[in-house]
Amino acid sequence: MNQYRGRFAPSPTGPLHFGSLVAAVGSFLEARSHGGQWLLRMEDLDTPREQPDAADTILRTLEACGLRWDGKVVYQSQRSDAYGAALARLQAHGLTYPCGCSRREIADSILAPDGALIYPGTCRNGLATGKTPRAARVRVGDTVIKFDDALQGRICQDLAAAAGDFVLLRADGLYAYQLAVVVDDAEQGITDVVRGADLLDSTPRQIYLQRLLGLPTPRYLHLPAAVNAAGEKLSKQTRAAPVDGRDPVPALAQVMRFLGQTPPPQLQRATLAEFWDWAYANWNSERIPQRHSLPLTCSL
Ligand code: GLU
């Protein structure tokens, strides 16, 4: 039996907010309750969306919350060689192709359930004359991916219908999240991925890449994602309030309630050490609600 290795992989697009704290605490308590390690990876690959200092602010807030990680923080911005090597392996097997389509050219494509555009396959059999390669896409063919999520149960996705041939190397020269996350989860020896259900749709694409690259597939557990009253995922775009690192216990107690745990009301005013004593002693993953999203206001 592999030793449990979990991780938290924030994107430094803004300070840590309630939604990301849910993923941090859920993955942390799952790892610790299995006697496992909890690693931290900064997903600072999408430079245009990043905010200066957000990575450091996130790390300081995690520390202030008592969320101690094992080993050194891995920064995706320093791992381009590994992503390039993985892409080269796929290319060498004819599993990818260059795509010369602009965003405008695929703007009228069918929408995937997550709102992304499904690529119609224009460049799949070669670039039309006059087109220059902009991005690299992986062929999905008629692959159907099935996996059992520890909370959400059996998930089944037809990749062509849900995502189409997806991008591994973007037109702006950056490696795509789907490729980087697969390379890094394998490199860090992650056995268990615990994260928000907003990423459930991405998991079949990641499992597909793991299979193409001959990498192990970790176990997955997708927690409910926190949404605001309008049903939008809490994020920088929806102006989610940052977690207050000077007084983190109320937010941590809220996370516990959000994840179906039953902290006593006085925990709200406990010290950080008392909070974690309670959390370690009482964490029960079977109580986590099996919903893909939960309005934050209703759970408080
Ligand atoms: N960096 C991603 C995010 O913050 C999470 C990736 C993952 O957990 O796989 O949404």
Side-chain angles (χ1 to χ4, degrees):
M1 188 56 191
N2 276 347
Q3 217 230 330
Y4 187 114
R5 280 166 77 88
R7 50 57 155 196
F8 176 54
S11 301
T13 52
L16 199 73
H17 54 74
F18 185 83
S20 30
L21 190 62
V22 168
V25 170
S27 58
F28 178 81
L29 283 171
E30 270 299 275
R32 296 298 186 231
S33 65
H34 286 86
Q37 297 207 309
W38 188 66
L39 310 185
L40 200 64
R41 180 166 77 234
M42 199 50 74
E43 301 213 320
D44 55 349
L45 208 55
D46 195 349
T47 33
R49 288 182 58 227
E50 270 160 38
Q51 204 176 294
D53 302 334
D56 286 343
T57 307
I58 289 172
L59 296 181
R60 278 200 307 272
T61 309
L62 291 172
E63 278 170 345
C65 288
L67 289 153
R68 298 275 136 73
W69 56 89
D70 295 299
K72 282 198 178 149
V73 180
V74 168
Y75 288 85
Q76 288 195 324
S77 55
Q78 292 164 16
R79 299 209 8 95
S80 295
D81 289 353
Y83 311 140
L87 180 61
R89 276 167 58 201
L90 298 174
Q91 274 164 343
H93 287 92
L95 295 164
T96 66
Y97 60 87
C99 172
C101 297
S102 66
R103 209 176 278 265
R104 221 155 116 231
E105 284 172 294
I106 55 172
D108 55 359
S109 306
I110 301 168
L111 282 182
D114 67 355
L117 296 168
I118 297 179
Y119 183 61
T122 322
C123 301
R124 190 179 294 143
N125 298 316
L127 289 178
T129 10
K131 271 198 164 179
T132 44
R134 294 162 50 88
R137 292 181 181 272
V138 63
R139 301 175 194 277
V140 300
D142 54 6
T143 310
V144 174
I145 299 284
K146 291 195 188 94
F147 73 100
D148 291 308
D149 184 90
L151 183 62
Q152 310 298 342
R154 170 60 56 104
I155 305 289
C156 185
Q157 191 185 77
D158 175 344
L159 290 181
D165 293 345
F166 54 97
V167 169
L168 300 183
L169 178 65
R170 299 169 14 170
D172 58 8
L174 297 174
Y175 291 101
Y177 157 68
Q178 307 291 359
L179 178 66
V181 74
V182 161
V183 170
D184 288 342
D185 281 338
E187 170 76 25
Q188 293 185 281
I190 301 302
T191 61
D192 290 78
V193 171
V194 177
R195 60 186 177 189
D198 50 301
L199 290 162
L200 194 56
D201 272 345
S202 288
T203 306
R205 268 171 279 176
Q206 294 170 16
I207 293 175
Y208 179 59
L209 289 180
Q210 286 154 5
R211 291 182 188 168
L212 296 184
L213 289 162
L215 300 173
T217 292
R219 288 178 289 259
Y220 288 96
L221 189 163
H222 286 86
L223 303 167
V227 294
N228 63 18
E232 301 160 326
K233 185 194 158 193
L234 298 189
S235 67
K236 190 188 146 212
Q237 286 73 24
T238 55
R239 303 216 185 90
V243 172
D244 183 359
R246 289 162 308 180
D247 182 25
V249 172
L252 290 166
Q254 269 180 13
V255 168
M256 284 293 132
R257 284 196 292 275
F258 183 85
L259 290 174
Q261 315 297 302
T262 47
Q266 61 272 25
L267 200 69
Q268 195 85 6
R269 291 177 300 279
T271 64
L272 196 55
E274 287 164 348
F275 169 81
W276 284 114
D277 283 348
W278 182 89
Y280 280 129
N282 293 283
W283 173 250
N284 180 355
S285 61
E286 285 176 15
R287 289 174 171 269
I288 305 172
Q290 192 200 31
R291 298 263 299 274
H292 286 191
S293 63
L294 273 181
L296 176 53
T297 44
C298 297
S299 67
L300 301 180

